[in-house]
Amino acid sequence: VPLDLKQLVVGAERIVHGKVIATEVYWLNGRIVTDAKVLVEETVKGDAEKLIIVRRLGGVVDGIGQKTWGSATLDLGEEVLVFLEQRNQSGVWHPVGMAQGKFSVTKTATGEKRALRDVREIAFRREGALPLNVDRHGVISGARRLGDLMKDIEAHLKGTR
């Protein structure tokens, strides 16, 4: 299901901005999973510890790989803005809407922070039902300034309280 920004904000128990400081890939119940430890710099929604674990399906263990199309990847050293939900009481978090719930944050040559969401691995059923500025190929037409995205998130939060 394609999710727009408002749906991400409403669906997230927590929204955090932080940096991936470690990753661990291992077998769990017959599947390979990757846990990313995110050092939280800012909590936008909910109460977040300073260090959280974000899990995704897939990864490589001892030369054996599993891939889950549409799963959000969180790479070591990457700065991220993630919209999170808990699916059980394990203490780990999952991006809302898989890759839709994760934005990579990068700096331009002038130091301005930009947020970009990569949803190329997600196939949406209806053309025209795409989130944000995603074209029919899943490519976002340009990254957004992080400050502008945060203002839009705050506006949605005020509307959901």
Side-chain angles (χ1 to χ4, degrees):
V1 175
L3 301 174
D4 63 19
L5 185 60
K6 182 177 182 180
Q7 291 168 314
L8 287 174
V9 170
V10 170
E13 295 170 57
R14 292 186 179 167
I15 303 170
V16 300
H17 174 213
K19 187 172 186 175
V20 179
I21 60 167
T23 58
E24 181 182 9
V25 185
Y26 57 96
W27 287 96
L28 179 67
N29 300 325
R31 293 181 159 170
I32 296 176
V33 297
T34 301
D35 286 350
K37 291 183 182 176
V38 177
L39 182 61
V40 176
E41 296 175 16
E42 178 181 8
T43 300
V44 182
K45 180 181 179 183
D47 297 320
E49 300 81 21
K50 200 66 179 156
L51 186 66
I52 61 170
I53 297 174
V54 179
R55 179 168 294 157
R56 72 173 181 92
L57 295 175
V60 178
V61 174
D62 297 326
I64 299 171
Q66 286 184 344
K67 180 161 182 69
T68 301
W69 293 99
S71 185
T73 58
L74 285 87
D75 296 321
L76 184 62
E78 182 179 20
E79 185 176 346
V80 295
L81 176 67
V82 285
F83 297 73
L84 301 167
E85 62 184 349
Q86 275 193 321
R87 297 181 183 158
N88 54 42
Q89 299 301 317
S90 66
V92 301
W93 294 90
H94 302 269
V96 173
M98 301 175 74
Q100 295 179 87
K102 179 243 176 176
F103 288 77
S104 296
V105 178
T106 58
K107 283 186 182 179
T108 65
T110 61
E112 179 182 66
K113 289 193 175 188
R114 296 234 181 237
L116 179 67
R117 181 167 68 162
D118 183 356
V119 292
R120 289 176 291 184
E121 292 183 352
I122 299 177
F124 296 105
R125 289 185 161 196
R126 294 177 291 136
E127 183 133 357
L130 301 172
L132 296 176
N133 299 333
V134 179
D135 69 16
R136 64 187 177 88
H137 303 291
V139 177
I140 295 176
S141 59
R144 297 186 64 189
R145 290 193 310 202
L146 180 61
D148 292 344
L149 179 59
M150 296 295 250
K151 285 178 188 174
D152 288 347
I153 292 168
E154 287 295 330
H156 288 303
L157 284 171
K158 288 178 183 170
T160 61
R161 290 184 188 180

